[in-house]
Amino acid sequence: MSVIKLFSSTRGIGIFLEVVLLAVVALANAATASSPAPPLGLSDAAARPWLEGQSTPLPLLSKKRVSRDTVRYTFSTNSNGTTSKSSSDITLGIPICSCLLVSPPDDETLTRPYTPISSRHARGHFELLVKHYPNGAMGNCFDKLKKGDCMLFRQIPKNIKELYPFGKPKTIIMLAAGTGITPMYQALQRLFGSDEDDDEGSDINVILLYGSRTKKDIYLRKELSGLAKRSGNRLKVVHALSDGKARARMSTRLLWMV
């Protein structure tokens, strides 16, 4: 087990990422050009106007606090305002890996990107993990939402990153901190999720280096553990914690335990 001394939570995560940067550089040759996104049929485009860059109001179904400053929001994919998961069989339809631009209905100049954490196969709904910062404009908009209230969602080409199977490298090293786990988790679901039945990426190994402030701030911990167990030892998760006072411990076990 390696031990890294951290001087503050923010700087500590920075040091943690610097330490592993050399490992990322060593695997840089594994990266290749992005694969093109699959074309959408007319019916798909009509059902999912957000994929065409149209700001689409989608209603909130529920919200659940997962830490002192982070909330898990569930939205409907039904733009007619119906607030039931079963009211629509529409999947979100965005490529892996990509995010959505989100704005409040009364101010489209206020926009932030968010990566959904729900399965790409989820029908009628999708989930976002949102961190609330003190005096954060977007966080305040989310915080005021009640069931049935809408936010605007859209996707543009710049929101689409390296697509599955990510150039088919032998090994991928992922770096994440806090809620920055969401795009990594989206990719991990595609690689190791129980809903996936193709073997295009079945020979890819992944090492996830995940920095969090405290044990309670390890988001999606159970989900990551489940993916690691299902991966057949192809996914290894390394956790580093820092509360600004203690040391961060890194373990090569699939899950780090305090």
Side-chain angles (χ1 to χ4, degrees):
M1 179 173 67
S2 301
V3 178
I4 303 175
K5 185 175 182 180
L6 305 183
F7 300 95
S8 69
S9 60
T10 303
R11 183 182 177 188
I13 291 177
I15 293 173
F16 164 66
L17 295 180
E18 288 176 9
V19 169
V20 300
L21 183 58
L22 291 177
V24 178
V25 173
L27 291 175
N29 290 334
T32 60
S34 302
S35 304
L40 286 172
L42 293 178
S43 60
D44 292 327
R48 306 181 180 98
W50 52 87
L51 294 181
E52 299 299 302
Q54 299 180 34
S55 293
T56 308
L58 297 174
L60 179 71
L61 297 177
S62 64
K63 58 182 179 180
K64 179 182 180 181
R65 184 168 295 277
V66 296
S67 75
R68 66 186 184 281
D69 58 7
T70 304
V71 180
R72 192 166 182 161
Y73 293 88
T74 303
F75 287 88
S76 173
T77 55
N78 195 331
S79 59
N80 67 10
T82 305
T83 55
S84 171
K85 288 184 180 180
S86 60
S87 66
S88 170
D89 63 354
I90 301 173
T91 60
L92 188 59
I94 66 174
I96 306 294
C97 290
S98 64
C99 62
L100 290 168
L101 293 180
V102 185
S103 302
D106 58 349
D107 185 8
E108 286 196 61
T109 63
L110 175 59
T111 302
R112 298 288 187 274
Y114 291 94
T115 302
I117 59 172
S118 46
S119 166
R120 70 191 185 103
H121 299 287
R123 293 185 176 276
H125 70 281
F126 64 96
E127 294 180 296
L128 300 179
L129 189 67
V130 179
K131 184 171 183 177
H132 295 257
Y133 295 93
N135 302 316
M138 183 59 79
N140 288 336
C141 293
F142 272 100
D143 192 46
K144 295 176 183 178
L145 290 177
K146 298 179 181 178
K147 183 176 181 179
D149 291 345
C150 292
M151 294 289 274
L152 299 179
F153 296 87
R154 63 188 173 95
Q155 186 172 72
I156 59 177
K158 289 184 179 179
N159 298 145
I160 302 174
K161 311 302 181 184
E162 180 84 13
L163 296 180
Y164 176 86
F166 319 118
K168 291 188 177 181
K170 292 183 178 180
T171 302
I172 297 174
I173 288 185
M174 296 180 171
L175 307 181
T179 52
I181 189 63
T182 57
M184 310 303 177
Y185 181 64
Q186 185 190 62
L188 292 174
Q189 286 187 96
R190 184 66 180 89
L191 285 165
F192 308 115
S194 59
D195 294 330
E196 307 300 339
D197 54 8
D198 66 80
D199 59 359
E200 193 172 2
S202 61
D203 58 347
I204 297 176
N205 295 288
V206 178
I207 300 173
L208 169 63
L209 305 170
Y210 185 17
S212 305
R213 181 178 173 84
T214 69
K215 180 181 177 182
K216 292 182 179 180
D217 294 318
I218 301 177
Y219 304 120
L220 303 170
R221 182 174 180 175
K222 291 182 179 179
E223 290 88 342
L224 289 171
S225 177
L227 290 176
K229 291 177 180 177
R230 191 178 184 279
S231 72
N233 207 37
R234 290 192 296 122
L235 169 61
K236 291 182 172 61
V237 181
V238 181
H239 291 284
L241 304 183
S242 170
D243 60 4
K245 300 177 182 178
R247 294 180 177 181
R249 294 179 174 85
M250 292 172 55
S251 170
T252 55
R253 296 175 59 186
L254 294 183
L255 265 180
W256 181 83
M257 300 297 291
V258 174

